[in-house]
Amino acid sequence: MIPGGGQPNMQQLLQQAQKMQQDLANAQEELARTEVDGQAGGGLVKATVTGAGELRALKIDPKAVDPEDTETLADLIVAAVQAANENAQTLQQQKLGPLAQGLGGGSGIPGLPF
């Protein structure tokens, strides 16, 4: 029930939903432009991903390259990319978390009984 027995203003609810959708789209665009780094092997391998998780760059220190041990290099690359993606996920939660809650991820739309 709506306090006071009034009906919800559907136009206002639609405007709120459209604003939340636009805010979400803006946050996603910002994430796609923002770059975060991850590293492994004490900085021997560095990966750069966007806040959306797209791999943009990979830097490998020549000291990490051993032709006799490519497995270690591969492990360092995987670890650096994973670290960068973890940082991207943290950024996503910071940027999108409050918006997701506003879209029904916990608090719902103000004024609605659910």
Side-chain angles (χ1 to χ4, degrees), residues 21-42:
Q21 186 176 21
Q22 185 61 46
D23 290 347
L24 180 61
N26 290 343
Q28 289 172 327
E29 287 175 23
E30 184 179 342
L31 283 170
R33 290 189 309 265
T34 304
E35 293 184 347
V36 293
D37 294 321
Q39 63 178 339

Side-chain angles (χ1 to χ4, degrees), residues 80-92:
V81 172
Q82 286 176 336
N85 279 325
E86 287 172 11
N87 291 336
Q89 287 176 349
T90 299
L91 184 63
Q92 288 172 7

Side-chain angles (χ1 to χ4, degrees), residues 17-88:
Q18 288 173 339
K19 181 182 182 324
M20 282 189 247
Q21 186 176 21
Q22 185 61 46
D23 290 347
L24 180 61
N26 290 343
Q28 289 172 327
E29 287 175 23
E30 184 179 342
L31 283 170
R33 290 189 309 265
T34 304
E35 293 184 347
V36 293
D37 294 321
Q39 63 178 339
L44 290 175
V45 176
K46 295 180 183 178
T48 302
V49 299
T50 66
E54 179 184 342
L55 182 63
R56 287 287 175 96
L58 189 61
K59 295 180 183 171
I60 302 171
D61 188 303
K63 291 182 262 183
V65 180
D66 177 357
E68 301 296 318
D69 184 14
T70 58
E71 286 182 27
T72 297
L73 178 57
D75 289 343
L76 290 173
I77 292 169
V78 169
V81 172
Q82 286 176 336
N85 279 325
E86 287 172 11
N87 291 336

Side-chain angles (χ1 to χ4, degrees), residues 8-22 103 109-110 112:
N9 181 334
M10 293 307 289
Q11 184 66 29
Q12 184 180 12
L13 290 176
L14 283 173
Q15 288 174 347
Q16 286 177 342
Q18 288 173 339
K19 181 182 182 324
M20 282 189 247
Q21 186 176 21
Q22 185 61 46
L103 291 171
I109 296 175
L112 291 182

